[in-house]
Amino acid sequence: MTNTLNRAWTMAARPIGEPTQDNFAMKESVIPAPKHGEVLIKTLYMSLDPYMRGRMRSGPSYATVLEPGDIMTGEVVARVEQSESQKYNVGDIVRANIGWQEWAAVGAHNVNRVDPNLAPISTSLGILGMPGMTAYFGLLAVLKPRAGDTLVVSAASGAVGAVVGQIGKINGCEVIGIAGTEEKCAYLINELGFSHGINYKKQNVSKELSSIAPAGIDCYFDNVGGPVSDGVFENLALKSRVAICGQISQYNAAETPKGPRNLASLIRTRTTVEGFLVYDFVLEHEVARSRIATWIKEGRLKYKEDVVDGFENAPTAFIGLLNGKNFGKLLVKVSD
Ligand code: NAP
Ligand code: FER
C-alpha cells in the first residue's frame, strides 16, 4: 500500500446553536493493520444524517454522546482491502459504523455485507439503509395507514420523507408533502406522484391543508416539528395518528423549547401521537430491505441522492443538511 495516511473528522468542540467549521477538526493517523478476525476497510461513501447533531449535544439519548476529540459518528459503505477473517474477501462491499473516517480495521462481526447486485451500493446508506427502514416502519408499523387515508409528510423530499410518501401511495393514500423550496415541491408532484406539495417557506401550511384536505389529515409523519407541525396539528382528522420521527427544526436550538403548545385539539380528534426509533424494528429490517428493493426494480419507488465530492467537505455538507441545502439523501463520496 503506497498511501499510509488515514484521515478522520472529529468533534473539536460541542456546538451551541448552529454548528460551524470550528466545531470540527481533521485528525490524521496511520492506516491501521487488521488483527486476526478483522478486516481493513476503505470508505467509498459516507452517510450524513440529522441524528448526528443529537450526538454532538450533551443530555439524555438512546445512544452515547460524543465528547470533544471523538470521531464524528456515522455509517459508511466501504470495500474490504485486507481480510484477516474467513467471512470476507478482498473486494467485498460492506456497511460499517466507523464514523467520519477514510479507513478502519474492524471485527468482521461489526460489518454488514452489501449486495452490489441489489442496487447501486450508495443506496445501502439511503433508501435500502437506515433512512429507508425509518420510512418503512414509521409508516407501516407506527402510522398503519388505510387505503383512502390522507397522509402528510414533512421534509418530504428528503431521504426519509420521499420514501414515506411513495410507500403511502403504494398503500392507497392521498399524499401531501411539505418541503422548503419550489423545486422540491415540483419534484414531489411531478416525479414522485404526490397529490400536493406545500412550500412551508412561502405558503401558510395550516391554510393550505384546510383547503386541500377539508375532511382533515388521517396520518402525519413528522420529520421536522416546530411551526410546520403546528400547521398540520391544526388540521388533524378524527382518530388521526401522528408518528414523531424527527424534529429537525429544533436540532440547532441552543435550548430545547418548552412545549408542546397546541395539543388541546387532540382531545376533540382523539389523536394518537407516537415516537419511534428505526432500531425498534431491527429484526425485521431484512424483510423491509428486500421489499423496498423489489419496489425499486418494479419502478414503484424512486430515490434521489445528493452526493458531495470529497472527504474534506463533510462538515460543510453536514451544516447544510440542517438548513435544507440538500436535495435527496446526503452522501459524501470519499473514494472511487
Ligand atoms: P433529509 O430530509 O434528507 O434532510 C433534512 C431536511 O430537513 C432538509 O433538507 C430540510 O428540507 C429539512 N429541514 C431542515 N430544517 C428545517 C426546518 N427548520 N423546518 C422544516 N424542515 C427543515 O433528512 P432525513 O435523513 O430524511 O431525516 C429526516 C428526519 O427524520 C430528521 O428529523 C431525522 O432526525 C429523522 N430520522 C429519525 C429516525 C428515527 O429513528 N426516529 C431515523 C432517521 C431519521 P426542506 O428544504 O424541505 O426544509
Ligand atoms: C434521529 C433523530 C433523533 C435519530 C434518532 C434520534 C436514528 C434519537 C434521539 C434521542 O435519543 O434523543 O434522526 O435517528
Side-chain angles (χ1 to χ4, degrees):
M1 203 185 300
T2 44
N3 171 33
T4 58
L5 182 70
N6 182 25
R7 296 186 299 174
W9 277 109
T10 64
M11 181 180 80
R14 215 180 278 297
I16 300 164
E18 193 173 334
T20 64
Q21 293 288 338
D22 294 342
N23 297 119
F24 303 89
M26 178 91 85
K27 190 175 95 178
E28 295 183 351
S29 60
V30 173
I31 295 172
K35 298 192 194 76
H36 181 69
E38 290 186 340
V39 287
L40 176 69
I41 59 173
K42 182 182 188 189
T43 301
L44 304 175
Y45 291 96
M46 194 166 92
S47 185
L48 293 179
D49 299 273
Y51 78 84
M52 295 166 178
R53 180 64 184 84
R55 298 291 172 87
M56 300 176 89
R57 181 186 292 279
S58 61
S61 172
Y62 74 102
T64 321
V65 299
L66 292 168
E67 295 301 326
D70 286 350
I71 294 174
M72 287 293 297
T73 314
E75 193 174 30
V76 306
V77 60
R79 189 173 48 231
V80 174
E81 298 288 326
Q82 275 181 48
S83 180
E84 298 300 328
S85 158
Q86 291 186 343
K87 276 179 77 180
Y88 291 99
N89 295 316
V90 170
D92 285 350
I93 303 293
V94 296
R95 268 186 302 125
N97 281 297
I98 63 168
W100 296 17
Q101 239 188 139
E102 289 183 300
W103 294 82
V106 265
H109 54 279
N110 278 331
V111 302
N112 297 289
R113 192 179 292 281
V114 170
D115 178 0
N117 298 316
L118 209 55
I121 59 169
S122 55
T123 60
S124 66
L125 299 173
I127 189 164
L128 289 177
M130 188 277 282
M133 300 299 114
T134 305
Y136 183 100
F137 291 103
L139 182 68
L140 299 180
V142 179
L143 282 181
K144 301 192 186 86
R146 290 176 276 262
D149 276 357
T150 300
L151 164 69
V152 171
V153 56
S154 48
S157 73
V160 174
V163 184
V164 169
Q166 293 180 87
I167 299 181
K169 267 194 59 202
I170 291 171
N171 281 270
C173 297
E174 186 192 344
V175 181
I176 303 166
I178 305 176
T181 68
E182 293 300 313
E183 197 193 1
K184 288 178 178 180
C185 288
Y187 169 75
L188 298 177
I189 297 166
N190 302 331
E191 301 287 328
L192 303 187
F194 287 25
S195 310
H196 299 273
I198 300 175
N199 178 352
Y200 72 91
K201 289 188 182 158
K202 292 269 167 68
Q203 294 172 288
N204 179 310
V205 171
S206 182
K207 269 199 194 148
E208 291 299 319
L209 286 176
S210 66
S211 81
I212 297 168
I217 307 306
D218 303 297
C219 299
Y220 175 40
F221 193 108
D222 184 13
N223 283 320
V224 305
V228 168
S229 293
D230 291 347
V232 183
F233 270 57
E234 285 166 11
N235 286 278
L236 292 170
L238 195 64
K239 295 297 271 178
S240 48
R241 284 90 66 207
V242 176
I244 306 295
C245 174
Q247 298 280 286
I248 196 167
S249 71
Q250 311 300 310
Y251 293 173
N252 281 337
E255 271 180 54
T256 309
K258 298 281 173 264
R261 297 155 293 195
N262 60 350
L263 298 190
S265 65
L266 306 192
I267 302 164
R268 174 180 51 82
T269 56
R270 287 82 157 176
T271 297
T272 305
V273 181
E274 187 174 342
F276 75 97
L277 259 179
V278 59
Y279 308 112
D280 299 339
F281 306 96
V282 73
L283 297 177
E284 298 162 81
H285 280 192
E286 285 318 312
V287 175
R289 213 183 314 278
S290 78
R291 286 193 81 193
I292 293 176
T294 304
W295 284 329
I296 295 172
K297 286 208 167 109
E298 291 171 352
R300 300 173 82 189
L301 275 190
K302 292 185 185 167
Y303 62 91
K304 187 174 181 64
E305 296 175 332
D306 187 336
V307 182
V308 170
D309 211 15
F311 184 69
E312 57 285 358
N313 296 319
T316 311
F318 178 64
I319 293 165
L321 173 73
L322 299 164
N323 281 312
K325 298 247 160 50
N326 65 306
F327 187 1
K329 169 63 199 148
L330 184 59
L331 298 165
V332 177
K333 188 171 180 203
V334 177
S335 174
D336 284 323

